[in-house]
Amino acid sequence: MALELKNPHSVLAALKTRPIDVTEIRLSAGAAQGNWGDVADEARGHGIPVVFRKAPPQKMKRRQSEDQGRRTTGSVALVKPRNPSSLTELFTLEHEGSEPRGLWLALDCIQDPHNIGAIFRTAAFFGVRGIVLTKDRSAPLNATVYDVASGGMEAVPFAVETNLSRAITEAKQSGVWIMGTSEHAEEDVATYGQDRPWMVVIGNEEKGLRRLTLEQCDVVCRLTPTGLVDSLNASVAAGIMIARFSPFGPGVN
């Protein structure tokens, strides 16, 4: 079933990476310029239908403006969800010699689609190699995730697993080290650097990492607060960890 994407950046990324999965572009009146204009041009180049919607009656415009952001202006694209990768594909890409290189993430029951979308966007920015998501007790990869990711969903390979333990085991067998995150950890993230390939595991927004997940981590560390606020949104915490431990980030080796 196709998703209705409202962020033109997400749509353009899909058009450039998998145009066969974009079935139709529906533009509102006056949306043929700017970002949506670029979307329309790219779609036509792939033979994808571009349909213009009729302008709504004047009395309906105010009501619609309350439901739609300025960026979307009522335009949407019908895009099929991206197929997930297997764990084997996720952990055997572009090895240098026999050792993997890079940063991976695992999201342990993240339930807010905005958080997942934001994490994918940051992951794409820093070149994260792959993301493992849990199938149960997690937000679905819906249109909100794709729109918030602003193209990140097209750039980062991901796997959706019923058993996160299995994913962690396969990561370890590939030579990847597992770093859990917890506000109750004794060690600060400053203890570790980019001297090895990491998979950073981010826990549920309220409960954090599950016990069985924590037990499988090679290390567990925390982001130590230095101000009055003692906690971070899951996607913000993930962004800091990505920036620190990505080989392309400003972390300390």
Side-chain angles (χ1 to χ4, degrees):
M1 185 176 182
L3 304 172
E4 289 192 0
L5 302 189
K6 300 178 181 179
N7 183 342
H9 300 290
S10 300
V11 179
L12 197 57
L15 283 167
K16 291 182 176 180
T17 57
R18 51 187 184 99
I20 194 172
D21 289 334
V22 182
T23 58
E24 187 176 82
I25 309 297
R26 299 174 181 174
L27 299 182
S28 63
Q33 298 179 348
N35 292 326
W36 278 109
D38 295 338
V39 167
D41 291 341
E42 186 76 20
R44 292 189 184 100
H46 293 287
I48 298 168
V50 177
V51 179
F52 284 87
R53 293 176 167 180
K54 293 182 179 180
Q58 188 67 31
K59 64 180 180 180
M60 295 179 60
K61 288 184 177 181
R62 179 172 298 179
R63 180 183 302 174
Q64 288 189 342
S65 67
E66 295 175 355
D67 299 328
Q68 299 170 347
R70 293 180 180 178
R71 181 178 60 186
T72 68
T73 62
S75 298
V76 300
L78 302 184
V79 182
K80 295 179 182 178
R82 186 180 172 200
N83 291 326
S85 301
S86 68
L87 290 176
T88 300
E89 293 170 329
L90 212 63
F91 294 112
T92 58
L93 297 173
E94 299 178 9
H95 280 40
E96 292 186 358
S98 60
E99 295 294 328
R101 180 177 180 272
L103 175 70
W104 287 258
L105 297 177
L107 308 183
D108 190 8
C109 300
I110 298 293
Q111 295 180 326
D112 186 342
H114 291 86
N115 280 336
I116 296 178
I119 289 170
F120 265 91
R121 183 171 184 172
T122 305
F125 183 87
F126 281 102
V128 167
R129 295 286 298 278
I131 298 178
V132 178
L133 303 102
T134 49
K135 183 177 182 179
D136 300 324
R137 289 178 286 180
S138 298
L141 298 179
N142 57 19
T144 298
V145 173
Y146 278 76
D147 279 337
V148 174
S150 198
M153 286 297 298
E154 310 302 331
V156 184
F158 64 91
V160 181
E161 293 293 316
T162 301
N163 190 339
L164 182 58
S165 176
R166 174 172 167 264
I168 291 175
T169 297
E170 186 148 345
K172 287 182 176 182
Q173 291 172 347
S174 299
V176 177
W177 291 67
I178 311 302
M179 176 182 289
T181 55
S182 171
E183 61 182 9
H184 305 297
E186 295 182 359
E187 292 185 303
D188 185 83
V189 294
T191 307
Y192 303 97
Q194 300 169 344
D195 58 337
R196 68 197 77 180
W198 290 107
M199 182 166 78
V200 175
V201 191
I202 305 296
N204 175 268
E205 291 91 340
E206 294 184 5
K207 298 180 180 180
L209 296 182
R210 291 174 292 177
R211 178 181 57 83
L212 291 177
T213 302
L214 282 168
E215 291 176 354
Q216 284 195 288
C217 294
D218 295 308
V219 301
V220 181
C221 60
R222 70 176 186 273
L223 288 166
T224 305
T226 57
L228 296 178
V229 177
D230 61 4
S231 64
L232 291 170
N233 170 278
S235 64
V236 174
I240 294 171
M241 299 297 286
I242 292 170
R244 182 173 184 86
F245 291 103
S246 167
F248 305 104
V252 180
N253 289 296

